[in-house]
Amino acid sequence: MNVPRLVVAAPASGHGKTTVATGLMAALTARGMAVSGHKAGPDYIDPGYHALATGRPARNLDPVLCGADTIAPLFAYGAAGAEIAVVEGVMGLFDGRGAAAEGSTAHVAGLLGAPVVLVVDASAQGRSVAALVSGFASFDPAVRLAGVILNRVGSARHEQILRDALAGIGMPVLGALRRDDAVAVPSRHLGLVPAAEREGAARDAIGRLAALVTESVNLEAVVALARSAGPLPAAPWDPASALAGSAEPSVIMTSVASQRHQSHDHDRGERGDARVAGSGIGGPGGGRPVVAVAGGAAFTFCYTETVELLTAAGADVVTVDPLRDEALPDGTGALVLGGGFPEVHARDLSGNEPLRADVARLARSGAPVVAECAGLLYLAAELDGLPMCGVLDATARMTPRLTLGYRDAVAAGSSVLTPAGTAVRGHEFHRTTVVPGNPAAPAWSFGGKEEGFVRAGVHASYLHLHWAGYPGLARRVVAAAA
């Protein structure tokens, strides 16, 4: 495929990547272009703003979670039909997993053969900007750093000093944004407030961003730079093909704990039927099983491909909003509870007693209930002292400590999601803790510890997975729901 594309990077977090990337998407969309927005790394929040700016589904590109070979196909799939694609980077340009380049913005740019635009917060520097940019431009010859957008510029004189300095090293300046508090996005304990929690205000902010970028950035030069990217030799990813080509995830027996749980049948519910995924898909009479996926303001963390894979696996996917809906969708055969901010909405979640009871009934039936992070908290007996679904004998509470990072995990036992010993790469991102009551079978082993809960059809954990890296997960859940 040959979609014009560029990557928006920065020297470090906090320079304004999201502001500039989202502003570029909105400004180009306002010009009538079909724009595809993408986010390097695991972050769920920035893509929500991309989706508002472009009107297209949000897409993540994470080589750590999905594998490097999957990135170009995922990009080609997400960018199909677009006239230009803008990829927002993660952290600093060369910051990857630990001390490695894996998962960095530079890694993603290389996998896409895309030029890089560096966003620099110039608020506290002048001529030194040239030394900074020169270092980034020369650090890795495989990365084509093709231009700079200056952010938080103080005045016309300040801008001229910066432009002159960068001209001295031959680096094009594609734009200069002045300080503007009106386009700032509010933050809290895990970063920006998700767009879904402030949709009206978020749309207004994106409109102001589009106007600011249109006034401050040479959009013709940006489009020309994106068009300089050569053809991408990758067939687009496809959820049905991914399912057809996927085997069970790799199984590795690495510990006594893995062997201990292997023989436990955690996939039998109260109905006594085996819930492990088989080859058949379809509900009674051959219909498509209904899989409810949590959404709304409290559950905003779900990769687009998760829903697409569930649909391709044979499910009718229906969104349920635990803040507003008082019952699961009719005929629900499985429930997927992704991440989000239940701690912010705990009182309203707790107040929706009918849905909490319905979720508990579904879990007691042995149906698949897959929960990640926020979903784990929602299934607990209580969160910050407020009653939740009570599916798990555990209590959850906020803490000041941030838990963040990639995890190499192994399934501690067989579950509706994976066979025992399955190796996965996931991501943790939270400021909460869960204290179990009675001992329960764990979901994963990583870092010398066991984590999460498996009971009957329930699989609950802090670990976020990108299902495009493990398409078989969707097949198991849908088959178990049938």
Side-chain angles (χ1 to χ4, degrees):
M1 69 176 306
N2 194 17
V3 173
R5 58 197 180 275
L6 57 83
V7 173
V8 177
S13 298
H15 279 248
K17 289 190 305 292
T18 302
T19 297
V20 171
T22 306
L24 285 173
M25 294 175 200
L28 294 169
T29 299
R31 286 195 164 197
M33 297 186 75
V35 182
S36 183
H38 304 259
K39 172 67 180 180
D43 179 76
Y44 293 94
I45 298 175
D46 296 344
Y49 288 91
H50 300 173
L52 279 182
T54 65
R56 294 169 65 103
R59 302 283 177 182
N60 286 71
L61 302 171
D62 192 325
V64 179
L65 296 184
C66 297
D69 291 345
T70 310
I71 297 308
L74 280 173
F75 170 84
Y77 172 68
E83 297 170 89
I84 189 170
V86 178
V87 181
E88 180 186 346
V90 56
M91 299 187 295
L93 174 56
F94 299 106
D95 298 330
R97 187 182 187 191
E102 182 188 23
S104 67
T105 303
H107 187 198
V108 172
L111 293 170
L112 300 180
V116 174
V117 174
L118 195 71
V119 177
V120 178
D121 178 355
S123 60
Q125 61 184 313
R127 185 168 175 261
S128 294
V129 71
L132 174 70
V133 172
S134 178
F136 273 84
S138 62
F139 183 78
D140 183 352
V143 176
R144 181 159 71 101
L145 204 169
V148 169
I149 293 179
L150 301 165
N151 192 27
R152 303 188 186 109
V153 176
S155 65
R157 174 170 168 73
H158 184 203
E159 179 179 338
Q160 193 59 53
I161 291 171
L162 298 166
R163 286 182 177 273
D164 289 347
L166 291 167
I169 62 169
M171 181 59 65
V173 176
L174 303 177
L177 280 64
R178 299 293 173 86
R179 300 186 184 103
D180 187 348
D181 293 338
V183 299
V185 176
S187 298
R188 61 179 180 223
H189 58 284
L190 291 181
L192 301 180
V193 175
E197 293 189 40
R198 52 185 300 270
E199 189 163 336
R203 288 189 184 279
D204 291 343
I206 286 171
R208 291 192 295 270
L209 265 179
L212 177 64
V213 167
T214 298
E215 295 170 1
S216 308
V217 175
N218 184 341
L219 293 177
E220 288 76 16
V222 168
V223 172
L225 177 59
R227 287 174 176 164
S228 73
L232 188 63
W237 181 84
D238 174 74
S241 299
L243 284 166
S246 68
E248 290 288 6
S250 59
V251 176
I252 55 174
M253 303 310 297
T254 60
S255 68
V256 174
S258 298
Q259 298 172 31
R260 181 173 71 245
H261 296 297
Q262 186 181 20
S263 63
H264 291 190
D265 185 3
H266 299 307
D267 303 310
R268 289 189 183 274
E270 293 178 2
R271 291 174 291 185
D273 56 330
R275 306 301 301 177
V276 175
S279 59
I281 292 177
R288 294 170 65 90
V290 175
V291 176
V293 175
F299 289 89
T300 55
F301 292 9
C302 181
Y303 294 123
T304 301
E305 292 80 5
T306 298
V307 172
E308 292 169 340
L309 283 164
L310 287 167
T311 301
D316 283 334
V317 180
V318 182
T319 300
V320 59
D321 184 346
L323 289 174
R324 298 179 182 274
D325 297 328
E326 294 189 345
L328 293 169
D330 290 343
T332 293
L335 174 62
V336 176
L337 296 159
F341 291 97
E343 62 270 28
V344 175
H345 302 278
R347 190 165 299 280
D348 290 333
L349 289 171
S350 183
N352 190 349
E353 295 182 31
L355 183 64
R356 291 195 287 112
D358 210 13
V359 169
R361 280 192 294 269
L362 183 71
R364 285 196 301 271
S365 78
V369 178
V370 178
E372 293 182 349
C373 201
L376 166 66
L377 306 184
Y378 185 56
L379 294 182
E382 63 179 50
L383 170 58
D384 285 338
L386 295 167
M388 292 291 135
C389 294
V391 171
L392 304 174
D393 183 12
T395 59
R397 59 180 173 81
M398 283 287 294
T399 74
R401 180 175 178 269
L402 175 64
T403 300
L404 172 67
Y406 291 111
R407 306 287 185 251
D408 291 307
V410 176
S414 178
S415 74
V416 71
L417 198 62
T418 62
T422 299
V424 299
R425 278 184 168 181
H427 189 262
E428 278 193 284
F429 184 42
H430 59 89
R431 287 187 184 271
T432 60
T433 188
V434 171
V435 180
N438 294 324
W444 306 108
S445 297
F446 58 83
K449 66 177 183 178
E450 294 179 328
E451 188 271 338
F453 301 80
V454 170
R455 183 179 65 81
V458 176
H459 185 286
S461 165
Y462 270 121
L463 206 63
H464 293 287
L465 301 180
H466 196 308
W467 288 20
Y470 310 95
L473 305 182
R475 183 173 56 237
R476 286 178 66 89
V477 170
V478 173

